[in-house]
Amino acid sequence: MLKGRHLIEPSEFSIDELEEIFGLADSIIQKPEDYSEICKNKLLASLFYEPSTRTKFSFDAAMLRLGGEVIGFSDPNTSSVAKGETLKDTIITISNYVDIVVVRHPQEGTAKLMAKYALVPVINAGDGGHQHPTQTLTDLLTIRHYKKSLNNHCIAVCGDLKFGRTIHSLVKAMHRYQDVKFIFISPEELKIPRYIKDLLEPGSYFETTNLDKVIGKADILYMSRVQRERFVSEYEYLRLKDYFILTPEKMLRAKDDMIVMHPLPRVNEIAEEVDSDKRAVYFHQAKFGMYVRMALIVKLLGLE
Ligand code: NCD
């Protein structure tokens, strides 16, 4: 039962519950007109304490396409936060006005804290370098579409595995499926955190700094940008930002049916020439993000 639940990290939902959301997303994709009024008279609060384009827009578009309405801010300086209000007071107040809340915040654990005090469902739209569960729903729906199943894959994740919250959420969600192997490709300085590796079976992952060497093994290549905003030193960021660049030459070594994913925004880590490769699915992935958020909102509001 998903009605009234929060979504703070993807592993809070069982595989069956995730499948319920994906099933509804499939139905919405097939017949969006059947859902265009389902959220009539419902209000979503969108609290973005950190910049966002696709996550905010895809939530807004999702709610509007369901016939609901959206209020909120994308610049905390325009809200009472600027007057020194605590997150606890903000969420108690706002959840009196709306039916569901989406929050993005630079500090890890914020969504969880807000969920504790909220009177309505809270969705974590990214908390610092920690988790980004709705990106993971997007990613799983994309994999399920292109690969027909979430089992039996070798997933290579490449880039900033230390600060990349989409990576942390994806690995936490995918390791629960059968026969999933991970290849973690990153510079030494940006390796995947220990607490994520500790969740995995010892033989189920491999770490490397060399994309060329392993690209041929991957069924899915998940690229990510170096997370500039999480670096203390700009010099360190500049040193690492172009460590990996996926080019058409590199793609020659990849399987014919491999897919390339990216949560976006892309900075420099995928050359634009790769966009026309049929294996590059990242822009379609962004579209799945809106549909899966539509399904999530309907489920948490118990409207189906
Ligand atoms: C991601 C994020 O915010 O963590 N973006 C997104 O939501 N699609 C990835 C990123 O910013 O690199």
Side-chain angles (χ1 to χ4, degrees), residues 54-55 104 132 135 165-166 225 227 229 262-265:
R54 72 224 75 236
T55 304
R104 167 171 290 193
H132 192 346
Q135 181 63 46
R165 56 194 173 194
T166 65
R225 80 182 163 93
Q227 305 276 301
E229 64 277 33
H262 193 305
L264 304 175

Side-chain angles (χ1 to χ4, degrees), residues 157-162 184-192 207-211 224-226 231 236-237 239-244:
V157 282
C158 177
D160 183 347
L161 311 190
K162 179 179 179 190
F184 296 126
I185 312 161
S186 72
E188 277 299 324
E189 296 84 343
L190 299 177
K191 281 169 81 171
I192 192 116
E207 290 181 279
T208 178
T209 55
N210 191 331
L211 171 60
S224 65
R225 80 182 163 93
V226 175
F231 277 71
E236 191 69 353
Y237 165 73
R239 195 171 67 78
L240 295 171
K241 77 180 175 56
D242 294 330
Y243 201 97
F244 299 109

Side-chain angles (χ1 to χ4, degrees), residues 121-251:
V122 171
I123 301 172
N124 180 9
D127 60 329
H130 185 222
Q131 298 283 325
H132 192 346
T134 61
Q135 181 63 46
T136 298
L137 298 187
T138 304
D139 300 340
L140 299 196
L141 188 66
T142 308
I143 295 172
R144 196 172 155 278
H145 171 84
Y146 283 101
K147 294 288 181 187
K148 307 297 169 221
S149 157
L150 290 162
N151 300 312
N152 296 308
H153 299 305
C154 173
I155 308 183
V157 282
C158 177
D160 183 347
L161 311 190
K162 179 179 179 190
F163 295 118
R165 56 194 173 194
T166 65
I167 309 278
H168 303 161
S169 286
L170 180 68
V171 176
K172 273 187 110 170
M174 278 304 290
H175 93 277
R176 299 187 300 174
Y177 292 90
Q178 281 164 24
D179 288 323
V180 174
K181 300 255 180 300
F182 295 96
I183 303 175
F184 296 126
I185 312 161
S186 72
E188 277 299 324
E189 296 84 343
L190 299 177
K191 281 169 81 171
I192 192 116
R194 181 85 251 166
Y195 84 94
I196 303 272
K197 279 190 284 192
D198 285 346
L199 299 170
L200 308 178
E201 296 286 318
S204 70
Y205 70 90
F206 175 72
E207 290 181 279
T208 178
T209 55
N210 191 331
L211 171 60
D212 285 333
K213 222 160 85 186
V214 293
I215 192 169
K217 293 192 172 34
D219 302 311
I220 297 154
L221 174 61
Y222 194 98
M223 296 297 294
S224 65
R225 80 182 163 93
V226 175
Q227 305 276 301
R228 179 179 206 157
E229 64 277 33
R230 316 262 176 247
F231 277 71
V232 179
S233 146
E234 179 72 2
Y235 169 78
E236 191 69 353
Y237 165 73
L238 294 172
R239 195 171 67 78
L240 295 171
K241 77 180 175 56
D242 294 330
Y243 201 97
F244 299 109
I245 301 180
L246 185 65
T247 57
E249 295 71 54
K250 288 194 179 6
M251 288 293 285

